[in-house]
Amino acid sequence: PSQTSVHTHLQTTINMRVATFLTTLFAAFACGEAFVAPSRSTSCVGRSVAGALPKSSSLQMSAFDGIKEPVQSYVDIWTPMFKQASESGLVPDFLLHWGHGAAMASVLLSMGVIGAYMGWQIRLGNGEEVTPLTLGDTIREAHPKIIGGAFFFFLLGGQGGLVLLDTQGQSILESPHAMTAALSVALLATQA
């Protein structure tokens, strides 16, 4: 095949992947409740997990049923400290509500974008180049380090997000974001 047809095929593939990504991103944001004002209601601490969590779709219920109690037990270790910090005025409500989103956005927009760029450069045959983003390594050497770091911070951020949800009195593992986050981390682990 000619170089023009290969370039056209590559451009079409990239356009299809970008369209799929944007559609998925739109669907995830359309289902979320990110713009709900924070509240100071009580958490699930000291109550039965089954009675504290509202009913949700059967898909979400079946996906997380086996891990709800252990995850809630883990979250219950940290929630009292965050509640105490909030009640004493040490942590403002907006930080409890938006802190997780801001932290995860910073990881996605820094490490995620740079790692994705490096991945595409490797696919395009530029993996042996050294750029300012790679700090002396080749792109091929730096890519797993950047994406591995992003994966690590996403796992830590997931735990923080669960604790902050519980601190605000919301149920954990019941939101559309819990599903998309678990799916995204699973896909990132599979891609590795």
Side-chain angles (χ1 to χ4, degrees):
S2 71
Q3 189 169 358
T4 306
S5 68
V6 170
H7 178 73
T8 304
H9 175 72
L10 180 61
Q11 190 63 40
T12 303
T13 302
I14 291 171
N15 288 345
M16 288 175 47
R17 288 186 179 190
V18 168
T20 303
F21 171 76
L22 292 175
T23 303
T24 304
L25 190 62
F26 174 75
F29 282 124
C31 297
E33 296 178 14
F35 298 105
V36 176
S39 65
R40 284 196 171 266
S41 57
T42 59
S43 75
C44 302
V45 177
R47 292 185 292 178
S48 157
V49 174
L53 301 175
K55 299 295 179 206
S56 184
S57 72
S58 60
L59 176 63
Q60 287 175 337
M61 294 299 284
S62 64
F64 293 123
D65 268 350
I67 63 168
K68 277 184 188 170
E69 286 192 49
V71 170
Q72 185 66 51
S73 294
Y74 172 77
V75 167
D76 287 345
I77 294 169
W78 301 102
T79 301
M81 289 180 272
F82 281 84
K83 287 182 94 42
Q84 184 179 18
S86 175
E87 290 166 358
S88 69
L90 187 61
V91 179
D93 285 340
F94 78 89
L95 187 59
L96 287 175
H97 186 72
W98 295 105
H100 168 73
M104 295 299 91
S106 69
V107 173
L108 179 65
L109 295 176
S110 60
M111 299 175 86
V113 169
I114 291 169
Y117 167 77
M118 289 179 179
W120 276 109
Q121 290 304 306
I122 293 168
R123 284 180 168 240
L124 294 174
N126 302 325
E128 301 310 315
E129 291 183 13
V130 176
T131 69
L133 292 175
T134 62
L135 302 175
D137 289 343
T138 64
I139 291 175
R140 188 175 311 279
E141 293 168 339
H143 173 72
K145 295 174 188 175
I146 294 291
I147 292 298
F151 182 71
F152 175 73
F153 287 120
F154 282 137
L155 288 177
L156 285 180
Q159 295 175 37
L162 293 172
V163 171
L164 291 176
L165 273 177
D166 195 50
T167 301
Q168 296 174 67
Q170 299 178 24
S171 61
I172 63 171
L173 302 177
E174 294 294 322
S175 68
H177 176 63
M179 273 308 239
T180 58
L183 182 62
S184 298
V185 168
L187 288 173
L188 190 56
T190 302
Q191 180 67 20

